[in-house]
Amino acid sequence: MIKLGFKEWFAAGSAIAKGDLLRNSGSHQFCARAEKRLAEMTGAKHVLLINSGTSALTCALAALGVGPGDEVIVPAYTWMASAAAPLHVGAVPVICDIDESLTIDPDDIERKITPNTRAIIPVHMIDRPCDMDRIMEIARKHNLLVVEDACQSIGVTYKGKHLGAIGDAGAFSFNQYKNMTIGEGGAVLLNSDDALARAYNYHDIGTSFRNLDFDTSNDLFVGLNLRANEVQGAMLNAQIDRLPRRIEKLRKRYDVVRDSMDKAGLPIARHNDADNGAGLAVTFATEQEAEQFAQNRIARRLFDNTKHVYTNWTPIMEQRMFHEKMNPWAWANRKIEYSDDMCVRTLDILRRSCGIGLGPQYPVPVVRHFAKKLQAPEISKSEITRGTGKTPIAT
Ligand SMILES: *Cc1c(COP(=O)(O)O)cnc(C)c1O
């Protein structure tokens, strides 16, 4: 978890001192400045600050016109918000397996495509990029939209491109666990003027006339209030200053730990862009080995990460919205069913995998120290045969 410092304190204070915190009142422009800088950094055509990563995903889908009757393919391993966002625009999530890279499996995406599929949400989990070359190829072939969930990988690149700026839209989160934080917040990355107009409208209750230098020829429609305020914008500018160094440190730790793990003969998980790796993981042959390895100070078994595993997305698995008639599953063109065993391959991989914490809270020498202590778990053959199936599917 990232701690904020004097820079953010001072930035927030400056915004408060100006007295006017509404971003679009025009007197000062902390949000606009942060948006411009994020667009320059990522290469996205437009960036819109917003109040959370969940809102960013929802707003991106609304901006691209995804709605009732549409199916959106999401991975079985992600924070529940990625699967909830389609529901907020009336579409339904179709849950797709991950592969050994721990991100969405392009082969399974192809299997899950139906005539109703409208979009794919690849999620770049724990600073690890999805196989975007293949995903974009599949999307182009089937005429699908791609909304990248880059909430967990801000500042990380895939083959030189910033995650979040490769597809039609992308989402960032600035909650306190992400690579940049302002407490709560998010950003939508968009690659067309029309999508920006619609996103702006959606995030400000359908009042996009408020933005003075904005093309309002787009038809207005009802939206929500998902606006970020100027204190958030000011703090975010301070965080943007810090990001390059933070990512550089993340990469450095990645190299240090990967070296140690190589030497210890640990089974490093496949990475879709290993040369620019920032998120490290290991996948063992058995779940017992992963459980044992998770005893290490900087390791965590991915299966134990609660609502990041689809079997724990209770309201989605049980298809429950806030009102029985507000039911995207009833608007779908076919019956959509979920069950705990629909993505057993994902469960199997997550049970055998551990993420390695390369968090900025640890200085590199400390990480080096922990890395040296990482050792392959020693599991006797008898334990392997005895222990299988001990973890229930739903936790
Ligand atoms: C954090 C996160 C979100 C949601 O972000 P919030 O700002 O908490 O709404 C969405 N997707 C993923 C993968 C996340 O990790």
Side-chain angles (χ1 to χ4, degrees), residues 10 28-29 71 80 88 120 126 131 140 152 178 180 211 218 233-234 240 245 254-255 268 282 340-341 352:
F10 185 77
H28 50 275
Q29 293 286 323
E71 295 174 17
M80 191 168 90
H88 289 305
I120 309 168
I126 49 171
D131 183 350
R140 272 191 286 266
Q152 295 196 8
K178 314 298 187 185
M180 287 203 285
N211 192 341
N218 219 37
I240 294 170
R245 175 99 185 94
Y254 178 95
D255 290 339
I268 297 170
V282 278
D340 280 356
D341 61 1
R352 295 186 286 111

mmCIF file of all heavy atoms in Angstrom, residues 10 28-29 71 80 88 120 126 131 140 152 178 180 211 218 233-234 240 245 254-255 268 282 340-341 352:
data_model
loop_
_atom_site.group_PDB
_atom_site.id
_atom_site.type_symbol
_atom_site.label_atom_id
_atom_site.label_comp_id
_atom_site.label_asym_id
_atom_site.label_seq_id
_atom_site.Cartn_x
_atom_site.Cartn_y
_atom_site.Cartn_z
ATOM 1 N N PHE A 10 0.428 18.999 0.348
ATOM 2 C CA PHE A 10 0.549 20.372 -0.148
ATOM 3 C C PHE A 10 -0.389 20.606 -1.335
ATOM 4 O O PHE A 10 -1.051 21.639 -1.436
ATOM 5 C CB PHE A 10 2.001 20.647 -0.558
ATOM 6 C CG PHE A 10 2.239 22.064 -0.954
ATOM 7 C CD1 PHE A 10 2.364 23.069 0.005
ATOM 8 C CD2 PHE A 10 2.310 22.413 -2.298
ATOM 9 C CE1 PHE A 10 2.560 24.391 -0.362
ATOM 10 C CE2 PHE A 10 2.503 23.734 -2.670
ATOM 11 C CZ PHE A 10 2.632 24.732 -1.707
ATOM 12 N N HIS A 28 -9.837 27.030 -11.791
ATOM 13 C CA HIS A 28 -8.526 26.393 -11.764
ATOM 14 C C HIS A 28 -8.689 24.989 -12.328
ATOM 15 O O HIS A 28 -9.783 24.482 -12.429
ATOM 16 C CB HIS A 28 -7.958 26.376 -10.348
ATOM 17 C CG HIS A 28 -8.907 25.859 -9.342
ATOM 18 N ND1 HIS A 28 -9.850 26.654 -8.737
ATOM 19 C CD2 HIS A 28 -9.100 24.615 -8.855
ATOM 20 C CE1 HIS A 28 -10.564 25.915 -7.900
ATOM 21 N NE2 HIS A 28 -10.136 24.696 -7.963
ATOM 22 N N GLN A 29 -7.611 24.357 -12.682
ATOM 23 C CA GLN A 29 -7.749 23.197 -13.568
ATOM 24 C C GLN A 29 -6.834 22.049 -13.187
ATOM 25 O O GLN A 29 -6.110 21.526 -14.022
ATOM 26 C CB GLN A 29 -7.441 23.652 -15.000
ATOM 27 C CG GLN A 29 -8.456 24.629 -15.574
ATOM 28 C CD GLN A 29 -9.772 23.943 -15.943
ATOM 29 O OE1 GLN A 29 -9.775 22.810 -16.419
ATOM 30 N NE2 GLN A 29 -10.877 24.597 -15.700
ATOM 31 N N GLU A 71 -23.199 -9.299 -24.610
ATOM 32 C CA GLU A 71 -22.382 -10.119 -23.720
ATOM 33 C C GLU A 71 -20.966 -9.542 -23.704
ATOM 34 O O GLU A 71 -20.445 -9.152 -24.743
ATOM 35 C CB GLU A 71 -22.342 -11.578 -24.221
ATOM 36 C CG GLU A 71 -23.713 -12.237 -24.156
ATOM 37 C CD GLU A 71 -23.742 -13.628 -24.777
ATOM 38 O OE1 GLU A 71 -22.674 -14.233 -24.982
ATOM 39 O OE2 GLU A 71 -24.855 -14.097 -25.070
ATOM 40 N N MET A 80 -13.976 -8.262 -8.549
ATOM 41 C CA MET A 80 -15.369 -8.428 -8.967
ATOM 42 C C MET A 80 -15.897 -7.269 -9.813
ATOM 43 O O MET A 80 -16.793 -7.448 -10.655
ATOM 44 C CB MET A 80 -16.241 -8.611 -7.722
ATOM 45 C CG MET A 80 -17.639 -9.059 -8.023
ATOM 46 S SD MET A 80 -18.525 -9.582 -6.535
ATOM 47 C CE MET A 80 -19.242 -8.064 -6.027
ATOM 48 N N HIS A 88 -23.926 -2.970 -14.910
ATOM 49 C CA HIS A 88 -24.389 -1.596 -14.676
ATOM 50 C C HIS A 88 -24.867 -0.913 -15.947
ATOM 51 O O HIS A 88 -25.582 0.078 -15.878
ATOM 52 C CB HIS A 88 -23.283 -0.776 -14.001
ATOM 53 C CG HIS A 88 -23.054 -1.176 -12.573
ATOM 54 N ND1 HIS A 88 -24.066 -1.193 -11.641
ATOM 55 C CD2 HIS A 88 -21.943 -1.589 -11.939
ATOM 56 C CE1 HIS A 88 -23.576 -1.596 -10.479
ATOM 57 N NE2 HIS A 88 -22.295 -1.859 -10.641
ATOM 58 N N ILE A 120 -14.779 -7.275 -24.955
ATOM 59 C CA ILE A 120 -13.898 -8.082 -24.108
ATOM 60 C C ILE A 120 -13.293 -7.125 -23.080
ATOM 61 O O ILE A 120 -12.900 -6.014 -23.432
ATOM 62 C CB ILE A 120 -12.734 -8.714 -24.913
ATOM 63 C CG1 ILE A 120 -13.263 -9.442 -26.158
ATOM 64 C CG2 ILE A 120 -11.896 -9.657 -24.047
ATOM 65 C CD1 ILE A 120 -12.146 -9.830 -27.151
ATOM 66 N N ILE A 126 -2.200 -7.849 -11.263
ATOM 67 C CA ILE A 126 -0.937 -7.723 -10.518
ATOM 68 C C ILE A 126 0.244 -7.293 -11.408
ATOM 69 O O ILE A 126 1.290 -7.935 -11.433
ATOM 70 C CB ILE A 126 -0.611 -8.995 -9.687
ATOM 71 C CG1 ILE A 126 -0.730 -10.291 -10.528
ATOM 72 C CG2 ILE A 126 -1.523 -9.101 -8.484
ATOM 73 C CD1 ILE A 126 -0.201 -11.538 -9.798
ATOM 74 N N ASP A 131 -2.199 -10.906 -23.059
ATOM 75 C CA ASP A 131 -1.635 -11.113 -24.402
ATOM 76 C C ASP A 131 -2.391 -10.203 -25.369
ATOM 77 O O ASP A 131 -3.270 -10.638 -26.117
ATOM 78 C CB ASP A 131 -1.803 -12.595 -24.774
ATOM 79 C CG ASP A 131 -1.179 -12.926 -26.119
ATOM 80 O OD1 ASP A 131 -0.787 -11.989 -26.843
ATOM 81 O OD2 ASP A 131 -1.107 -14.128 -26.445
ATOM 82 N N ARG A 140 -10.587 -7.652 -33.540
ATOM 83 C CA ARG A 140 -10.754 -7.121 -34.905
ATOM 84 C C ARG A 140 -11.477 -8.132 -35.792
ATOM 85 O O ARG A 140 -12.369 -7.786 -36.561
ATOM 86 C CB ARG A 140 -9.402 -6.744 -35.503
ATOM 87 C CG ARG A 140 -9.009 -5.303 -35.158
ATOM 88 C CD ARG A 140 -7.809 -4.857 -35.963
ATOM 89 N NE ARG A 140 -6.599 -5.472 -35.464
ATOM 90 C CZ ARG A 140 -5.789 -4.894 -34.576
ATOM 91 N NH1 ARG A 140 -6.059 -3.698 -34.131
ATOM 92 N NH2 ARG A 140 -4.715 -5.510 -34.146
ATOM 93 N N GLN A 152 -4.949 -2.414 -11.966
ATOM 94 C CA GLN A 152 -3.836 -2.931 -11.162
ATOM 95 C C GLN A 152 -2.489 -2.776 -11.850
ATOM 96 O O GLN A 152 -1.508 -3.379 -11.421
ATOM 97 C CB GLN A 152 -4.046 -4.428 -10.871
ATOM 98 C CG GLN A 152 -5.243 -4.700 -10.009
ATOM 99 C CD GLN A 152 -5.232 -6.103 -9.412
ATOM 100 O OE1 GLN A 152 -4.268 -6.849 -9.516
ATOM 101 N NE2 GLN A 152 -6.325 -6.464 -8.763
ATOM 102 N N LYS A 178 -3.427 0.698 -5.378
ATOM 103 C CA LYS A 178 -2.962 0.719 -6.763
ATOM 104 C C LYS A 178 -1.606 1.429 -6.903
ATOM 105 O O LYS A 178 -1.094 1.985 -5.944
ATOM 106 C CB LYS A 178 -4.011 1.395 -7.642
ATOM 107 C CG LYS A 178 -5.441 0.925 -7.385
ATOM 108 C CD LYS A 178 -5.665 -0.557 -7.661
ATOM 109 C CE LYS A 178 -7.149 -0.858 -7.545
ATOM 110 N NZ LYS A 178 -7.530 -2.219 -7.674
ATOM 111 N N MET A 180 -0.891 4.171 -8.290
ATOM 112 C CA MET A 180 -1.008 5.584 -7.901
ATOM 113 C C MET A 180 -2.262 5.669 -7.047
ATOM 114 O O MET A 180 -3.254 5.004 -7.340
ATOM 115 C CB MET A 180 -1.244 6.484 -9.120
ATOM 116 C CG MET A 180 -0.049 6.677 -9.999
ATOM 117 S SD MET A 180 -0.205 8.199 -10.948
ATOM 118 C CE MET A 180 -1.398 7.715 -12.178
ATOM 119 N N ASN A 211 -18.791 21.688 -19.740
ATOM 120 C CA ASN A 211 -17.386 21.800 -20.130
ATOM 121 C C ASN A 211 -17.291 22.762 -21.301
ATOM 122 O O ASN A 211 -17.754 22.484 -22.391
ATOM 123 C CB ASN A 211 -16.834 20.425 -20.508
ATOM 124 C CG ASN A 211 -15.335 20.462 -20.619
ATOM 125 O OD1 ASN A 211 -14.750 21.530 -20.758
ATOM 126 N ND2 ASN A 211 -14.712 19.311 -20.559
ATOM 127 N N ASN A 218 -23.003 16.204 -29.616
ATOM 128 C CA ASN A 218 -23.447 14.861 -29.273
ATOM 129 C C ASN A 218 -24.776 14.916 -28.522
ATOM 130 O O ASN A 218 -24.938 15.734 -27.645
ATOM 131 C CB ASN A 218 -22.392 14.237 -28.360
ATOM 132 C CG ASN A 218 -22.180 12.797 -28.681
ATOM 133 O OD1 ASN A 218 -22.220 12.428 -29.794
ATOM 134 N ND2 ASN A 218 -21.959 11.985 -27.731
ATOM 135 N N GLY A 233 -7.791 15.955 -8.232
ATOM 136 C CA GLY A 233 -6.955 16.304 -9.385
ATOM 137 C C GLY A 233 -5.585 16.785 -8.937
ATOM 138 O O GLY A 233 -4.550 16.374 -9.488
ATOM 139 N N ALA A 234 -5.577 17.637 -7.912
ATOM 140 C CA ALA A 234 -4.303 18.188 -7.426
ATOM 141 C C ALA A 234 -3.424 17.076 -6.854
ATOM 142 O O ALA A 234 -2.225 16.989 -7.139
ATOM 143 C CB ALA A 234 -4.582 19.253 -6.372
ATOM 144 N N ILE A 240 1.360 11.583 -10.150
ATOM 145 C CA ILE A 240 1.905 11.397 -11.509
ATOM 146 C C ILE A 240 3.407 11.720 -11.500
ATOM 147 O O ILE A 240 4.202 11.032 -12.141
ATOM 148 C CB ILE A 240 1.143 12.258 -12.547
ATOM 149 C CG1 ILE A 240 -0.305 11.775 -12.674
ATOM 150 C CG2 ILE A 240 1.823 12.196 -13.918
ATOM 151 C CD1 ILE A 240 -1.222 12.686 -13.486
ATOM 152 N N ARG A 245 9.343 6.906 -11.241
ATOM 153 C CA ARG A 245 10.316 6.351 -10.295
ATOM 154 C C ARG A 245 9.764 5.079 -9.644
ATOM 155 O O ARG A 245 10.485 4.103 -9.441
ATOM 156 C CB ARG A 245 10.624 7.429 -9.248
ATOM 157 C CG ARG A 245 11.520 6.998 -8.134
ATOM 158 C CD ARG A 245 12.978 7.422 -8.356
ATOM 159 N NE ARG A 245 13.821 6.870 -7.300
ATOM 160 C CZ ARG A 245 14.470 5.720 -7.421
ATOM 161 N NH1 ARG A 245 14.391 5.010 -8.515
ATOM 162 N NH2 ARG A 245 15.217 5.273 -6.423
ATOM 163 N N TYR A 254 11.589 -6.560 -9.578
ATOM 164 C CA TYR A 254 11.248 -7.712 -10.408
ATOM 165 C C TYR A 254 12.518 -8.440 -10.832
ATOM 166 O O TYR A 254 12.632 -9.658 -10.703
ATOM 167 C CB TYR A 254 10.459 -7.228 -11.630
ATOM 168 C CG TYR A 254 10.070 -8.304 -12.613
ATOM 169 C CD1 TYR A 254 8.815 -8.915 -12.545
ATOM 170 C CD2 TYR A 254 10.933 -8.705 -13.628
ATOM 171 C CE1 TYR A 254 8.444 -9.890 -13.454
ATOM 172 C CE2 TYR A 254 10.572 -9.682 -14.537
ATOM 173 C CZ TYR A 254 9.325 -10.265 -14.453
ATOM 174 O OH TYR A 254 8.962 -11.230 -15.349
ATOM 175 N N ASP A 255 13.499 -7.662 -11.321
ATOM 176 C CA ASP A 255 14.753 -8.280 -11.781
ATOM 177 C C ASP A 255 15.491 -8.977 -10.639
ATOM 178 O O ASP A 255 15.978 -10.093 -10.787
ATOM 179 C CB ASP A 255 15.665 -7.216 -12.417
ATOM 180 C CG ASP A 255 15.101 -6.722 -13.745
ATOM 181 O OD1 ASP A 255 14.275 -7.448 -14.337
ATOM 182 O OD2 ASP A 255 15.471 -5.613 -14.175
ATOM 183 N N ILE A 268 8.806 -19.962 -12.328
ATOM 184 C CA ILE A 268 8.257 -18.622 -12.577
ATOM 185 C C ILE A 268 7.133 -18.702 -13.609
ATOM 186 O O ILE A 268 7.266 -19.361 -14.635
ATOM 187 C CB ILE A 268 9.387 -17.684 -13.058
ATOM 188 C CG1 ILE A 268 10.442 -17.553 -11.947
ATOM 189 C CG2 ILE A 268 8.847 -16.319 -13.450
ATOM 190 C CD1 ILE A 268 11.717 -16.870 -12.364
ATOM 191 N N VAL A 282 4.664 -17.257 -9.361
ATOM 192 C CA VAL A 282 5.159 -18.621 -9.574
ATOM 193 C C VAL A 282 3.966 -19.566 -9.647
ATOM 194 O O VAL A 282 2.957 -19.357 -8.979
ATOM 195 C CB VAL A 282 6.056 -19.123 -8.412
ATOM 196 C CG1 VAL A 282 7.467 -18.614 -8.546
ATOM 197 C CG2 VAL A 282 5.474 -18.750 -7.064
ATOM 198 N N ASP A 340 -19.930 -22.880 -9.953
ATOM 199 C CA ASP A 340 -18.575 -22.889 -9.386
ATOM 200 C C ASP A 340 -17.580 -23.641 -10.265
ATOM 201 O O ASP A 340 -16.391 -23.353 -10.241
ATOM 202 C CB ASP A 340 -18.591 -23.532 -7.986
ATOM 203 C CG ASP A 340 -19.071 -22.549 -6.930
ATOM 204 O OD1 ASP A 340 -19.303 -21.372 -7.282
ATOM 205 O OD2 ASP A 340 -19.220 -22.959 -5.759
ATOM 206 N N ASP A 341 -18.088 -24.602 -11.050
ATOM 207 C CA ASP A 341 -17.148 -25.411 -11.839
ATOM 208 C C ASP A 341 -17.042 -24.953 -13.290
ATOM 209 O O ASP A 341 -16.526 -25.660 -14.138
ATOM 210 C CB ASP A 341 -17.515 -26.895 -11.753
ATOM 211 C CG ASP A 341 -18.901 -27.168 -12.315
ATOM 212 O OD1 ASP A 341 -19.559 -26.208 -12.785
ATOM 213 O OD2 ASP A 341 -19.334 -28.335 -12.285
ATOM 214 N N ARG A 352 -2.429 -23.263 -7.520
ATOM 215 C CA ARG A 352 -1.021 -23.638 -7.600
ATOM 216 C C ARG A 352 -0.092 -22.434 -7.736
ATOM 217 O O ARG A 352 1.098 -22.609 -7.901
ATOM 218 C CB ARG A 352 -0.831 -24.594 -8.794
ATOM 219 C CG ARG A 352 -1.557 -25.931 -8.624
ATOM 220 C CD ARG A 352 -1.239 -26.905 -9.747
ATOM 221 N NE ARG A 352 -1.899 -26.577 -11.009
ATOM 222 C CZ ARG A 352 -1.270 -26.147 -12.095
ATOM 223 N NH1 ARG A 352 0.033 -25.985 -12.096
ATOM 224 N NH2 ARG A 352 -1.935 -25.884 -13.203
#
